[in-house]
């Protein structure tokens, strides 16, 4: 039996980042069921950071993560964690009010924005079919994230601080007695007074292992498709381009274009694959909303995004067992907001105050609590679309 101060379950961005934060305070063991870190959602993301993406609390955690991503601690990574990308949000007729709400919320948080007409937006992305849209919001500070460098940096710093990352270590049982958690895995048995559940799409399964009641934090599949850009176009400077109605986004990706039809199909926790129908939908949306033609799909993949019914963070002490800490429900914000989410989760694991910058952004134990009604009520299963105006 190996003893630690904290057992973290899951070796994606959530587990690695909270493992790093906790390793500044005690001995941490991060257990990952796959052979390497980041195999599931973390390795399948679009890898962008936008302060205008996701529901209100998540997007505030993006704002609070920006400083870490732009200026990580000395020696954290050998390359910049983020590089400029820019983001363009396109509104159709009837959607301008929503775009303006998003602009106001971003300005409140000090984010830079530029409002343009759809036609003027062609200077950012010349392939937008401007007849489809009316107005646009440009976010110059949207960045590409080097997810691999971020994950590697966290795990390297974790080890430097005396922590351990153990792959091929699927947690098979989890028991609490006399103030100690015992976790068994094919790589050995571990004990610690505090467990952090950072198992992505599997968080509910981990709660079941711990003997806790159902918590409404469940995975949904999303599809991504990569195709060759129009011959001769200089795509590298194009922004990540979204429509406000959330029917697609596309971005340059290593010399090609990645597009997602932003599908959201309920899924079991699994090795998610691209859905063929959604691949066709993605191509159709590119044809309708841009002047690009998709001739060959060079690559496609699926990934899980895990949500509470209100799409907001599930971070904090389990209402039945306060030494079981949730870091879950990241949806589409887990990489970009991971740094601040990890600090928030660590404050609960350490029984410390919520960091002041997060309090300043409106984060409270209650509004991210795993004990809030929609998370504990098994009947509150229908997900809502968690955009800013629903929560601001
Ligand atoms: C197509 C797509 C595009 C996206 N784009 C973006 C984006 O641009 N920006 C952004 O910020 N986010 C994006 N996301 C969301 C982001 O990928 C997730 O929010 C984030 O990766 C979640 O991280 P995680 O660590 O919680 O989950 P994961 O990376 O899935 O990690 C959880 C880990 O737990 C492990 N595990 C499960 N059960 C056990 C067990 N019993 N024992 C041990 N280990 C276990 C799993 O193997 C897994 O490695 C996107 C997601 C998708 C699918």
């Amino acid at each position: 039996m190996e003893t630690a101060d904290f057992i973290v379950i899951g070796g994606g961005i959530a587990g690695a980042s909270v493992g790093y934060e906790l390793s500044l305070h005690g001995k941490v063991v991060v257990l990952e069921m796959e052979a390497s870190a980041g195999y599931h959602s973390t390795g399948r993301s679009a890898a962008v950071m936008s302060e205008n993406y996701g529901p209100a609390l998540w997007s505030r955690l993006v704002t609070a993560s920006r400083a870490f991503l732009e200026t990580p601690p000395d020696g954290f990574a050998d390359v910049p964690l983020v590089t400029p990308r820019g983001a363009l949000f396109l509104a159709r007729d009837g959607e301008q009010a929503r775009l303006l709400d998003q602009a106001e919320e971003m300005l409140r948080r000090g984010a830079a924005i530029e409002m343009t007409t759809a036609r003027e937006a062609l200077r950012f992305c010349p392939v937008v079919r401007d007849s489809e849209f009316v107005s646009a919001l440009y976010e110059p500070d949207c960045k590409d994230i080097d997810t691999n460098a971020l994950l590697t940096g966290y795990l390297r710093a974790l080890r430097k601080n005396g922590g351990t990352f153990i792959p091929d270590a699927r947690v098979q049982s989890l028991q609490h007695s006399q103030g100690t958690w015992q976790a068994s895995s094919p790589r050995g048995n571990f004990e610690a007074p505090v467990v952090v559940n950072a198992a992505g799409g599997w968080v509910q399964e981990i709660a079941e292992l711990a003997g806790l009641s159902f918590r409404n934090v469940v995975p949904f599949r999303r599809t991504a498709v990569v195709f060759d850009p129009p011959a001769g176009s200089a795509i590298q400077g194009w922004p990540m381009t979204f429509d406000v109605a959330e029917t697609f986004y596309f971005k340059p990706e290593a010399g090609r274009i990645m597009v997602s039809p932003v599908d959201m199909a309920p899924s079991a926790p699994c090795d998610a694959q691209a859905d063929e129908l959604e691949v066709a939908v993605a191509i159709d949306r590119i044809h309708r909303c841009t002047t690009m033609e998709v001739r060959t799909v060079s690559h496609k993949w699926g990934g899980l995004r895990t949500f509470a019914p209100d799409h907001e963070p599930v971070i904090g002490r389990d209402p039945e067992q306060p030494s079981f800490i949730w870091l879950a429900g990241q949806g589409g914000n887990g990489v970009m907001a991971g740094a601040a989410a990890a600090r928030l989760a660590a404050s609960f694991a350490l029984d410390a105050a919520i960091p002041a910058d997060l309090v300043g952004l409106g984060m409270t134990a209650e509004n991210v609590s795993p004990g809030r009604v929609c998370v504990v009520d098994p009947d509150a299963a229908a997900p809502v679309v968690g955009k800013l105006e629903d929560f601001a």
Side-chain angles (χ1 to χ4, degrees):
M1 181 78 69
E2 192 178 325
T3 302
D5 297 306
F6 307 96
I7 294 169
V8 175
I9 303 174
I13 198 66
S17 54
V18 75
Y20 159 75
E21 288 295 337
L22 292 172
S23 73
L24 300 167
H25 301 272
K27 186 169 179 227
V28 178
V29 175
V30 178
L31 302 175
E32 166 54 47
M33 70 177 173
E34 302 291 355
S36 58
Y39 176 78
H40 289 287
S41 301
T42 298
R44 306 174 189 212
S45 99
V48 295
M49 173 186 72
S50 162
E51 290 178 70
N52 189 32
Y53 189 75
L57 297 176
W58 273 120
S59 56
R60 287 171 204 179
L61 288 174
V62 178
T63 296
S65 299
R66 174 178 284 282
F68 186 96
L69 291 170
E70 290 180 344
T71 320
D74 280 347
F76 186 87
D78 307 326
V79 294
L81 295 178
V82 287
T83 46
R85 167 58 54 212
L88 189 63
F89 297 86
L90 299 163
R92 294 180 178 82
D93 198 16
E95 295 167 354
Q96 296 100 315
R98 190 162 167 180
L99 196 67
L100 284 175
D101 283 350
Q102 294 180 1
E104 272 171 30
E105 165 70 19
M106 288 180 76
L107 288 172
R108 261 203 298 278
R109 280 185 275 126
I113 57 161
E114 188 181 330
M115 302 297 292
T116 74
T117 62
R119 168 138 311 176
E120 287 165 354
L122 294 178
R123 75 179 194 273
F124 301 115
C125 187
V127 290
V128 168
R129 205 178 281 284
D130 62 326
S131 54
E132 276 280 318
F133 303 97
V134 178
S135 52
L137 182 162
Y138 181 65
E139 179 193 6
D141 292 336
C142 169
K143 303 274 169 81
D144 274 345
I145 304 173
D146 187 332
T147 308
N148 188 44
L150 181 62
L151 192 60
T152 308
Y154 275 130
L155 293 177
R156 190 163 54 186
L158 166 86
R159 288 192 196 98
K160 207 169 143 211
N161 295 339
T164 321
F165 169 76
I166 306 182
D168 295 317
R170 180 181 198 130
V171 173
Q172 293 158 322
S173 76
L174 189 58
Q175 273 159 6
H176 189 251
S177 84
Q178 298 179 330
T180 302
W181 286 100
Q182 296 196 338
S184 72
S185 85
R187 297 287 305 275
N189 300 328
F190 304 87
E191 65 175 19
V194 176
V195 160
V196 181
N197 182 9
W202 288 259
V203 282
Q204 176 53 35
E205 217 173 89
I206 300 300
E208 271 170 42
L209 282 183
L212 300 170
S213 303
F214 178 80
R215 302 282 179 259
N216 223 335
V217 193
V218 290
F220 294 80
R221 186 216 59 232
R222 175 154 286 185
T223 301
V225 178
V226 174
F227 66 92
D228 287 333
S233 44
I235 64 167
Q236 184 46 31
W238 292 0
M240 175 99 163
T241 301
F242 303 81
D243 66 336
V244 169
E246 294 193 81
T247 67
F248 71 88
Y249 64 68
F250 68 88
K251 66 169 285 206
E253 176 78 33
R256 294 193 159 103
I257 303 286
M258 171 205 168
V259 55
S260 174
V262 298
D263 49 325
M264 185 152 166
S267 170
C270 64
D271 192 350
Q273 304 297 316
D275 181 270
E276 283 310 321
L277 180 62
E278 295 298 343
V279 171
V281 171
I283 294 169
D284 179 60
R285 289 189 180 149
I286 285 291
H287 289 164
R288 271 197 293 135
C289 300
T290 78
T291 54
M292 291 186 284
E293 198 184 329
V294 182
R295 293 215 169 103
T296 322
V297 169
S298 58
H299 185 42
K300 61 193 168 190
W301 70 88
L304 297 178
R305 303 179 331 135
T306 299
F307 291 93
D310 61 5
H311 289 204
E312 289 291 9
V314 178
I315 301 179
R317 302 177 190 94
D318 187 86
E320 288 168 6
Q321 179 43 265
S323 60
F324 184 93
I325 310 297
W326 289 77
L327 174 50
Q330 288 87 345
N333 290 88
V335 181
M336 60 180 111
R343 287 194 290 123
L344 186 56
S347 72
F348 294 113
L350 293 163
D351 212 7
I354 294 177
D357 64 319
L358 303 185
V359 173
L361 284 165
M363 310 306 299
T364 66
E366 290 70 34
N367 62 19
V368 294
S369 171
R372 66 185 188 269
V373 173
C374 73
V375 177
V376 295
D377 178 0
D379 295 327
V384 296
V385 175
K387 288 303 288 180
L388 289 167
E389 62 268 28
D390 298 329
F391 301 94

